[in-house]
Amino acid sequence: MISSTLSPDMLRKVNAYWRAANYVSVGQIYLYDNPLLKRPLEITDVKPLVVSHWGTTPGQNFIYAHLNRVINKYDLDMFYIAGPGHGGPAIVGNVYLEGTWSEVYPNVTQNEAGLKELFKQFSFPGGISSHVAPTTPGSIHEGGELGYSLSHAFGAAFDNPGLIVACVIGDGEAETGPLATSWQSNKFMDPVSDGAVLPILHLNGYKISNPTVLARIEKEELEQFLRGCGWAPLFVEGDDPDTMHELMATALESAIEDISRMQKTARDHDSPARPRWPMIVLRSPKGWTGPKVVDGLPIEGTFRAHQVPMLVDPDHLDHVPLLDSWMRSYKPEELFDASGRLIPELQELAPKGDRRMGSNRHANGGLLLKDLKMPDFYDHAVEVSTPGAVMACDTEVLGKFLRDVTKLNQSDRNFRIFGPDETLSNLLGAVFDVTNRQWDARRASNDEFLAPQGQVLDSMLSEHQCEGWLEGYLLTGRHGLFNSYEAFIRIVDSMFSQHAKWLKVCLELPWRRKISSLNYLLASHVWQQDHNGFTHQDPGFLDHVINKKADVVRVYLPPDANCLLSVFDHCLRSRNYVNVVVAGKHALPQWLSMDAAVVHCTEGIGIWQWASNDQGGDPDVVMACCGDTPTLEILAAVSILREHLPQLKIRVINVVDLMKLQSCSEHPHGLSESDYDSLFTRDKHIIFGFHGYPWLVHRLTYRRTNRNLHVRGYKEEGTITTPFDMRVQNDLDRYHLVIDVIDRLPELATAGAYLKQKLQDKLIEHKHYINKHGQDMPEIRNWKWAPREGKGPVEAVSGLGSKGTEDQLRIMKKAG
C-alpha cells in the first residue's frame, strides 16, 4: 500500500504515540508499582483488585492520536466526547500524555514517579473512577450510563461556530433509545451560526457478553441506515495498524475539509441547503493489541476483551508473565526516556495550550460563562390589589418575561429554551415574538416559527434529546431551560441523576468552574391534566429529585404568577444547581402583589396573615399549602371554616421552597427546629395540601417535633374528568380538607358535625352535577376569596403594611 496522507515518518510517530497511550492504559488498569518495567513484573506490582474496561480503550487511543494530528494540521478548536466512557484508561492516559493532567494535578508528574501515581490512582480507593468523569480534564460526558454522547455533542456545538466536537459512539451505546434518536440531531444544526459534530461510530463488535447489532449487519445496510439519517459515512476498517493509520488519517482529513467547505459555503453564500455532514465508522477489533489467547480462550476481537482481559492475582500467578509480555510488546523503552517522560518527538505530536483536547476551554464551561442580561421581572407583574381579585395564567405571564430574556441575549447567543414540542402548549408562546424554532430540515408553507436559526429547540418530540442538548449547552458555558409536561419529565429521570452527580463531583474540584444551573419548568401538571387523563398525571419527579445532594437540588412551587416570576429570575441567575419549578398554565386566582411575592419567595415559606385569624394567640389548626392548586383549595377550605366556624383560630402557611420543610442540618435551605416550630407549632394539627405525593412531605419533616401532620396530595386517582373532581378523587378538595379539620378537632362538637354533614352532601351533589353537565358546579367555578377588611397581600408575609421599606424590597428583589 502506498501512503498518500501520512509520510513514513509521521506514520511511525503516530503509531508510537498510539503504543504509548496503550501502554499507559494497561498500566492504569493493572499496575501498582514498577511503571516502566525496569525489572520483570511480580504479583506485588499488580493492584490487589483490578477493575476496568480494556475492550474499547485501544480503539479510543487510536482515535485520540489521529485527532491530535488533525488539530495540529488545521489548527482546530476541538474536544472529545467519549460515549463508551468506561474506556476511562484511554482518555485519562491521553490527557496525561499531552501534559494537561499534570498541570491540573501537579502531584502526577511527567516522570516515573508521576506514572506510578497515575497508574495507582486509577480505579483505586482514594483515586479516580474507572470511567471518564468530572475529574478528567477535557470531559463533559461521563459515559457511565450510555446513550447521551451525541446529544451532548450537539448541545456543545450549538452557538459555537468555531468548534468541532468529536463524538465517539460505542456500538453498544448505539443500541440505546436516546442514541438511536440522536442521529436526527443534524436536522437542527445550522452551518452558519453553530459549530460541527463529527460522530465516530466505533464498531468493535461486542458488548459485555453479546455481539452488537450494528457490527453484525451488512456494511451496505449500515451505510444505508446512516445515509437515511442524513449522514455521509466514511469507513475505516481493519486490524493491521499501518494500514489502519493511513485509512484513518485520510478519512479524518476528508471529514475536516468537508466540514470546513460546508460551513464556508453556508456562511459566504447564505446557502439554504442542509449539509450532509460527514461521520466516520471505525471497525477495529475489541481489545486491539491486547492478549490474543489466555488459558486457551480467544480474547482479542471477542467479548472477553470487554473488561479486564485476564485475571492477574494470587490465584492466577501464571498470568503475571503474560501481563509482562503484553506490556513490553508496546516497547516502552522506545517511548519514554530514562526518567519516565514521553520522548520529545512524541510530545510534539500533541497540540499545544488550549488546543489540547484535555485543556479545551469549552470542556470547562464555567471559564467561558457570562452572566445573562436580565430584564426587570417587575415589568411583567400581575397587578393584585387584594388577594384573589384577579385571574391569570401563570406560565403565560412567565412567557413574556422569557421573551425579554431571549431578546436581551440574542447578540451573545448564550440562551436557549428546550422542550419536546410543548413551548406553545405550556403557554410560553410569547418567545416567538422575538425568535424562532431552530429547524434545518425541509419547511412547508403552513409551518409556524421554523427557521434555520432560533433560540428555541422544541421541534423534536424527544425528552432525551432536549435534556442532552441542554446539558451539553450548559456544560460548555451557556444558559437555558427545559420546559415539559410534568408527567413526562420522568422520561429523563436517569439523565437528571447523572447530571446531578456530575455537579456534585464538580463542587469538589476547585479547577472546575461553576456553570449555569439546569432549570426545569414543569407545566401542564398533575392537577391540570383532567382533560388528558390518568397517563398524564404524575408528580413523582419531585420525589426523585430530592434524593440527590442538598448542595445541588432546589425545588420551587410558586402559588401564583408573581411568585413564579421572582423564582425564575433567581433560577436563571443561579450556578451549579438543578432547579425544578412547577407551575400551572390554567387561569387561577392571583394572591400576592409583586412586592409581596419577592418577600415571600426570598423567605421561601411564610404565614399568610391576610388569610389567618390567629394573630391574638395560638392557632387551633394550621392550614398549609404548597403548589398553586393546593393553595387554591386550602384557601377555599379556610373560607368555609371562617364562615361556618368563626370562633376557630386558623393559621395559613404557604410553602414556595419545598426544601424549607427539611431540617437545616440536611439542606442549606431548611428551617431550624425553632423556626419550624414557630410556624407550624409543636403540637397543633397541620392540614397540609401538597402538589405531589403526600409521603414526600412526611419524608422531609420526619425529624420535626410536631407529629400531627396530615398531608393531602396526589394518590394515584385520576381520569378524564373536571378540574375540581380531580381534587375530590384525591381528597385535596376544599370539602375533604374541612372535614379533615373537623375530624382532628373534637372541640368543634355539634357545630362541626352539622358542617361535616353539609359537606358530605356537597360531595354527592358535585358528583351528580359533573356527570350531568360535564363541568364543575358554579360555586366552584366562580369562587372568590373574600378578604378581611384592612388586610392586603404584603401583610401576608412581612407584617409591614401595604408596602414595606424601599431598602428591604430592593434587597429582596435582587436576592429573589
Side-chain angles (χ1 to χ4, degrees):
M1 175 180 175
I2 300 175
S3 175
S4 59
T5 301
L6 295 177
S7 68
D9 187 54
M10 181 56 72
L11 173 61
R12 177 185 64 81
K13 290 178 180 178
V14 170
N15 188 63
Y17 198 95
W18 180 44
R19 284 161 40 211
N22 286 337
Y23 178 84
V24 168
S25 296
V26 179
Q28 290 177 82
I29 294 172
Y30 284 98
L31 293 193
Y32 181 81
D33 200 357
N34 193 14
L36 290 174
L37 303 183
K38 289 185 174 179
R39 53 178 171 75
L41 277 180
E42 301 174 358
I43 190 61
T44 54
D45 296 325
V46 179
K47 296 174 184 177
L49 178 64
V50 176
V51 180
S52 189
H53 294 77
W54 165 248
T56 181
T57 295
Q60 293 202 64
N61 285 333
F62 180 83
I63 293 167
Y64 206 103
H66 279 272
L67 291 176
N68 279 344
R69 191 187 72 82
V70 294
I71 289 171
N72 282 331
K73 179 171 181 176
Y74 297 99
D75 190 27
L76 301 178
D77 187 3
M78 172 185 282
F79 75 90
Y80 185 109
I81 288 181
H86 47 271
I91 313 308
V92 172
N94 277 284
V95 173
Y96 174 78
L97 291 176
E98 73 186 20
T100 301
W101 194 281
S102 298
E103 293 172 11
V104 175
Y105 303 105
N107 63 308
V108 185
T109 49
Q110 293 284 316
N111 53 28
E112 183 177 4
L115 274 177
K116 179 179 177 180
E117 181 62 28
L118 181 79
F119 291 177
K120 177 190 171 184
Q121 71 174 4
F122 185 83
S123 195
F124 196 82
I128 62 173
S129 71
S130 64
H131 291 66
V132 179
T135 52
T136 310
S139 64
I140 68 165
H141 174 88
E142 182 146 2
E145 179 176 295
L146 301 179
Y148 317 130
S149 60
L150 195 51
S151 54
H152 282 162
F154 273 90
F158 289 135
D159 294 326
N160 268 327
L163 179 67
I164 299 177
V165 185
C167 181
V168 179
I169 301 157
D171 46 357
E173 180 187 20
E175 297 174 5
T176 64
L179 197 289
T181 305
S182 63
W183 293 116
Q184 307 303 330
S185 295
N186 54 13
K187 283 74 175 178
F188 303 88
M189 181 66 68
D190 178 48
V192 175
S193 59
D194 298 326
V197 174
L198 177 60
I200 302 172
L201 176 60
H202 185 202
L203 301 179
N204 61 31
Y206 292 93
K207 304 184 281 284
I208 297 174
S209 61
N210 268 293
T212 57
V213 173
L214 295 185
R216 291 295 180 92
I217 62 177
E218 298 303 317
K219 178 179 177 180
E220 179 185 13
E221 184 180 353
L222 176 61
E223 183 172 7
Q224 288 175 347
F225 167 72
L226 295 171
R227 287 191 175 278
C229 291
W231 297 94
L234 302 167
F235 286 82
V236 177
E237 301 174 292
D239 59 7
D240 175 69
D242 286 355
T243 302
M244 289 289 280
H245 283 306
E246 174 60 28
L247 290 172
M248 188 65 170
T250 302
L252 264 179
E253 289 196 7
S254 175
I256 296 303
E257 290 172 4
D258 283 350
I259 289 170
S260 177
R261 174 180 50 80
M262 292 170 179
Q263 290 179 334
K264 180 174 174 55
T265 298
R267 293 169 188 181
D268 292 351
H269 305 290
D270 195 25
S271 172
R274 174 170 60 89
R276 185 177 287 273
W277 298 102
M279 64 168 291
I280 291 173
V281 179
L282 171 65
R283 190 187 299 268
S284 64
K286 197 173 188 76
W288 197 11
T289 75
K292 295 189 182 301
V293 178
V294 176
D295 295 337
L297 294 174
I299 304 297
E300 184 188 51
T302 77
F303 66 87
R304 296 184 186 90
H306 180 76
Q307 295 177 328
V308 177
M310 62 181 177
L311 295 174
V312 183
D313 57 30
D315 294 330
H316 299 83
L317 293 177
D318 55 325
H319 290 175
V320 174
L322 295 180
L323 175 61
D324 186 275
S325 175
W326 173 19
M327 295 192 70
R328 292 184 190 277
S329 73
Y330 297 118
K331 302 181 180 179
E333 67 279 3
E334 298 178 2
L335 310 173
F336 302 91
D337 64 21
S339 71
R341 189 178 183 89
L342 192 68
I343 62 174
E345 74 167 2
L346 298 186
Q347 291 179 39
E348 288 302 311
L349 295 184
K352 302 298 180 286
D354 290 348
R355 285 297 193 244
R356 295 172 296 178
M357 289 188 283
S359 293
N360 191 288
R361 291 167 66 83
H362 294 285
N364 189 1
L367 292 170
L368 304 174
L369 184 64
K370 297 195 303 184
D371 289 344
L372 281 176
K373 298 169 185 173
M374 295 292 287
D376 188 343
F377 61 87
Y378 264 64
D379 293 344
H380 301 280
V382 177
E383 292 297 325
V384 179
S385 56
T386 57
V390 297
M391 303 282 284
C393 302
D394 295 355
T395 56
E396 185 175 38
V397 174
L398 180 67
K400 296 172 184 176
F401 170 71
L402 293 176
R403 174 198 61 202
D404 291 357
V405 175
T406 301
K407 185 175 182 179
L408 284 173
N409 294 280
Q410 281 178 333
S411 61
D412 291 330
R413 297 195 63 82
N414 66 343
F415 176 73
R416 285 186 181 247
I417 296 170
F418 298 81
D421 191 24
E422 288 163 3
T423 305
L424 284 174
S425 178
N426 287 333
L427 298 190
L428 304 179
V431 298
F432 295 119
D433 293 345
V434 297
T435 191
N436 289 299
R437 294 166 161 144
Q438 184 153 317
W439 173 268
D440 284 81
R442 186 171 57 86
R443 294 188 293 278
S445 59
N446 61 345
D447 289 335
E448 286 191 329
F449 313 124
L450 298 184
Q453 297 178 28
Q455 289 166 275
V456 177
L457 279 162
D458 78 337
S459 298
M460 195 171 190
L461 193 60
S462 168
E463 284 83 0
H464 287 119
Q465 298 317 304
C466 295
E467 175 81 12
W469 290 343
L470 176 54
E471 289 177 2
Y473 199 68
L474 299 176
L475 288 162
T476 49
R478 281 76 64 78
H479 307 260
L481 67 96
F482 185 164
N483 81 96
S484 173
Y485 282 17
E486 181 183 44
F488 301 133
I489 200 66
R490 302 305 306 272
I491 293 168
V492 298
D493 271 7
S494 191
M495 295 184 75
F496 149 76
S497 290
Q498 296 300 321
H499 189 77
K501 290 173 183 290
W502 181 279
L503 292 178
K504 184 264 184 188
V505 176
C506 285
L507 288 172
E508 301 164 3
L509 301 170
W511 61 271
R512 281 278 184 189
R513 300 296 178 85
K514 288 186 176 183
I515 62 171
S516 182
S517 298
L518 171 55
N519 298 307
Y520 292 102
L521 173 64
L522 306 186
S524 302
H525 60 57
V526 58
W527 303 109
Q528 297 181 354
Q529 284 295 344
D530 43 89
H531 60 296
N532 276 323
F534 201 34
T535 57
H536 287 55
Q537 299 160 4
D538 186 349
F541 191 63
L542 302 183
D543 300 67
H544 180 55
V545 166
I546 69 159
N547 290 320
K548 300 307 171 191
K549 294 296 290 186
D551 290 341
V552 172
V553 296
R554 305 287 185 266
V555 180
Y556 303 99
L557 294 100
D560 66 4
N562 286 338
C563 289
L564 177 59
L565 288 169
S566 179
V567 163
F568 232 90
D569 178 83
H570 166 74
C571 291
L572 290 177
R573 297 176 189 270
S574 67
R575 300 285 185 270
N576 263 59
Y577 296 138
V578 177
N579 295 310
V580 180
V581 182
V582 182
K585 65 182 184 181
H586 292 178
L588 287 175
Q590 302 298 301
W591 307 111
L592 303 182
S593 70
M594 184 53 82
D595 285 347
V598 168
V599 178
H600 186 42
C601 293
T602 303
E603 294 176 347
I605 187 172
I607 298 172
W608 279 5
Q609 295 187 28
W610 51 267
S612 306
N613 65 352
D614 67 324
Q615 290 85 349
D618 291 337
D620 297 312
V621 65
V622 176
M623 303 291 283
C625 46
C626 183
D628 53 11
T629 299
T631 298
L632 169 64
E633 290 303 314
I634 283 287
L635 289 173
V638 169
S639 69
I640 294 172
L641 289 168
R642 280 195 349 203
E643 178 183 355
H644 294 275
L645 301 170
Q647 78 283 7
L648 193 65
K649 298 299 182 183
I650 304 169
R651 176 177 297 176
V652 177
I653 294 175
N654 183 264
V655 181
V656 178
D657 182 348
L658 183 62
M659 307 317 293
K660 287 289 182 180
L661 298 177
Q662 200 166 25
S663 171
C664 60
S665 65
E666 299 297 321
H667 195 283
H669 284 198
L671 293 174
S672 68
E673 296 304 318
S674 60
D675 285 344
Y676 184 91
D677 290 346
S678 71
L679 287 173
F680 290 98
T681 77
R682 295 177 63 86
D683 58 0
K684 303 299 182 183
H685 286 283
I686 306 164
I687 308 299
F688 199 123
F690 180 55
H691 173 87
Y693 292 110
W695 37 91
L696 177 54
V697 174
H698 286 289
R699 283 180 58 192
L700 293 172
T701 59
Y702 81 99
R703 289 184 175 181
R704 300 300 191 180
T705 301
N706 191 341
R707 310 310 300 166
N708 294 315
L709 176 64
H710 318 286
V711 187
R712 299 293 171 256
Y714 185 67
K715 57 180 187 178
E716 287 294 321
E717 292 293 340
T719 181
I720 294 177
T721 184
T722 69
F724 185 69
D725 192 55
M726 267 293 297
R727 305 162 208 165
V728 170
Q729 290 189 34
N730 291 277
D731 298 340
L732 183 61
D733 64 283
R734 59 203 67 180
Y735 301 143
H736 278 106
L737 293 170
V738 172
I739 291 171
D740 246 1
V741 172
I742 295 169
D743 287 344
R744 306 294 174 185
L745 302 178
E747 62 268 28
L748 295 178
T750 303
Y754 276 93
L755 177 57
K756 181 177 179 179
Q757 180 65 59
K758 184 178 294 187
L759 297 176
Q760 289 170 335
D761 294 345
K762 273 292 179 187
L763 287 167
I764 295 172
E765 181 186 350
H766 149 76
K767 184 60 70 175
H768 288 311
Y769 188 92
I770 65 168
N771 288 344
K772 180 178 180 180
H773 298 284
Q775 62 179 342
D776 288 318
M777 297 185 295
E779 63 199 78
I780 301 297
R781 290 184 279 118
N782 301 325
W783 178 84
K784 296 283 188 183
W785 172 260
R788 292 182 296 140
E789 292 185 8
K791 297 295 182 182
V794 174
E795 282 191 285
V797 289
S798 68
L800 299 175
S802 61
K803 281 292 181 183
T805 70
E806 290 296 324
D807 286 343
Q808 182 193 33
L809 290 170
R810 183 170 63 252
I811 292 169
M812 289 184 169
K813 177 182 173 183
K814 183 177 180 181

